[in-house]
Amino acid sequence: YAMKNNHLNDTPFFRAMGFVGDVFLLNLCWLLGCVLIVTIGASTSAAFSVAGKMAAKQDYRVFHDYFAAFKRDFKLATLAWLAMAVAGVLIFATYQIGLAHAGTLSNLLIAAGAALGVVWLCALGGGFALLGRYTYTRWPDVVKDGLRVCLGCPAGALVWLVGMALLPVLNMVLPELFWYLLPLWVLIGGGAVITGTAFALRPAFARLESKTK
């Protein structure tokens, strides 16, 4: 009889597969939580709560921790999301108005819309990453600190920006590639972007946590 290897599940391969499986489950939770548009903020914050524990090498249970964080931060995350959604609509409208016309003013509107869109995405991602990890009482502080943490940790901002903007940009410039990558993104993309951002932001969060001890 073959001897059972009790350490098989502790090999790098199985640890990697377990990690990929957790990211897949986290992506599933995040997508389901985003079905109702109003709950996108709570879902993203909850996903960052789990991803933050993964990055900090803390014990976690994907489903349990996701739904606990979703319930815990629902009110504040939803207020932050609704405020940011309104701002996002205005920024998008500015960009679209610029595209619909020609001339110097239109070019300025396009540039302003694109720049504000980057700022908007940074504040959104950084804010929900912080809310998933720390306690807040006011949603404006979530947005403000989200932008600050992205400015202080460009690597985290870059992972988040590229991950979230990649498909929309591809849809505009390379629609064939967009449709090719869309199923993969739906399968694991959102969870991968959130987890990657959490790992990239971890050094900044570790410095913050060391100061508060």
Side-chain angles (χ1 to χ4, degrees), residues 115-204:
L116 289 172
V118 170
V119 172
W120 182 85
L121 265 179
C122 284
L124 194 73
F128 287 132
L130 286 167
L131 183 58
R133 186 76 182 165
Y134 307 109
T135 301
Y136 278 84
T137 57
R138 299 176 64 251
W139 71 261
D141 293 334
V142 174
V143 176
K144 178 183 66 177
D145 289 351
L147 185 57
R148 288 174 59 190
V149 77
C150 283
L151 290 173
C153 187
L158 183 62
V159 172
W160 173 255
L161 288 172
V162 171
M164 285 298 169
L166 179 61
L167 282 187
V169 171
L170 284 179
N171 188 34
M172 290 188 293
V173 299
L174 291 171
E176 299 86 359
L177 186 57
F178 166 82
W179 290 110
Y180 181 79
L181 293 177
L182 182 60
L184 179 62
W185 200 93
V186 171
L187 185 66
I188 201 170
V193 172
I194 290 170
T195 303
T197 303
F199 272 83
L201 288 175
R202 183 58 206 161

Side-chain angles (χ1 to χ4, degrees), residues 41-42 45-46 49 68-79 130-136:
S45 175
S49 181
F70 187 98
K71 180 179 179 180
R72 180 191 68 213
D73 298 323
F74 178 81
K75 181 179 179 180
L76 203 61
T78 301
L79 288 174
L130 286 167
L131 183 58
R133 186 76 182 165
Y134 307 109
T135 301
Y136 278 84

Side-chain angles (χ1 to χ4, degrees), residues 60-108:
Y60 64 90
R61 290 180 290 168
V62 175
F63 289 119
H64 175 273
D65 292 353
Y66 170 87
F67 288 108
F70 187 98
K71 180 179 179 180
R72 180 191 68 213
D73 298 323
F74 178 81
K75 181 179 179 180
L76 203 61
T78 301
L79 288 174
W81 163 243
L82 292 177
M84 290 297 289
V86 171
V89 169
L90 294 176
I91 292 170
F92 183 73
T94 299
Y95 184 79
Q96 289 297 114
I97 291 171
L99 288 178
H101 299 84
T104 303
L105 180 58
S106 297
N107 292 335
L108 288 175

Side-chain angles (χ1 to χ4, degrees), residues 19 22-31 47-48 51 54 164 185-198:
F19 180 80
D22 288 341
V23 174
F24 169 79
L25 294 177
L26 184 60
N27 181 71
L28 179 62
C29 289
W30 179 69
L31 286 178
F48 266 117
M54 296 166 71
M164 285 298 169
W185 200 93
V186 171
L187 185 66
I188 201 170
V193 172
I194 290 170
T195 303
T197 303

